[in-house]
Amino acid sequence: MRRQIIIIAAILALSACGDSTKEEALNLLGEARAHFEQGDLDAARKDIDSLRHTYPNIVEARKGALKLHQDIELKAAQDELALTDSLLKAANQELEALQKQVDEHKRALKATPEELTLLTRTRMKRDSIRTQFEALGMKIRYIHQKQSEK
């Protein structure tokens, strides 16, 4: 009998604080949205992470957090893509200028091993940036695809 009373009391206590727990989770989600709108993506990520760990059973808040997390990752990827695009343009210009110089030196039979090595390294640097650019583009397309599935 005593065990049944304890179980009933526990159930009543959990159901009584269920609304406040849901409200706290939704408030945390609101804070994450506010951080996102202010452009503080790291703080928004931390808020979502806290929500996931602190309120794992509040489905409504977790669904909102998932959507917001996708928006955060999309914004971060778009910002990084813009930066990578400018780096890629600069690397292409650097490579073109160096390629012209090396071609002229090759025609005059004055190309040095250091110059050829620098050209190769510059090309590798450009290719690395291009690969990063393409990966970010794929990430953005993937996020858009996931967002359209909902």
Side-chain angles (χ1 to χ4, degrees):
M1 177 74 176
R2 184 172 181 193
R3 183 175 173 195
Q4 291 173 340
I5 292 173
I6 292 173
I7 292 173
I8 291 172
I11 290 171
L12 288 174
L14 288 175
S15 66
C17 64
D19 288 337
S20 67
T21 303
K22 182 178 178 181
E23 188 176 314
E24 290 171 9
L26 292 175
N27 285 340
L28 189 55
L29 180 59
E31 289 178 27
R33 281 193 181 113
H35 284 126
F36 172 69
E37 290 170 4
Q38 294 168 357
D40 192 352
L41 302 183
D42 289 333
R45 283 184 184 120
K46 287 177 186 176
D47 290 339
I48 289 173
D49 190 47
S50 294
L51 189 144
R52 287 177 175 165
H53 286 90
T54 308
Y55 307 103
N57 297 325
I58 310 297
V59 176
E60 183 179 323
R62 291 201 44 144
K63 284 183 181 180
L66 177 63
K67 165 104 175 69
L68 182 58
H69 185 263
Q70 288 175 338
D71 292 341
I72 291 168
E73 292 306 314
L74 179 62
K75 175 73 172 131
Q78 289 171 334
D79 290 349
E80 191 175 349
L81 183 70
L83 177 62
T84 305
D85 183 48
S86 63
L87 289 173
L88 183 58
K89 286 178 184 176
N92 278 329
Q93 290 174 349
E94 181 182 358
L95 180 63
E96 287 175 17
L98 192 56
Q99 184 70 54
K100 284 181 184 179
Q101 179 183 355
V102 168
D103 288 345
E104 287 175 13
H105 288 168
K106 280 183 178 179
R107 280 191 291 276
L109 301 175
K110 294 181 181 179
T112 64
E114 293 82 16
E115 197 174 41
L116 297 172
T117 301
L118 179 61
L119 178 66
T120 301
R121 287 187 179 162
T122 304
R123 187 175 292 122
M124 289 169 53
K125 175 183 166 186
R126 189 268 327 256
D127 292 346
S128 174
I129 295 170
R130 183 187 303 160
T131 300
Q132 182 180 4
F133 181 84
E134 291 170 356
L136 287 167
M138 286 187 281
K139 181 178 182 177
I140 290 170
R141 282 190 297 276
Y142 179 76
I143 293 170
H144 280 301
Q145 177 186 358
K146 285 297 183 184
Q147 287 177 332
S148 68
E149 289 176 2
K150 306 224 181 245

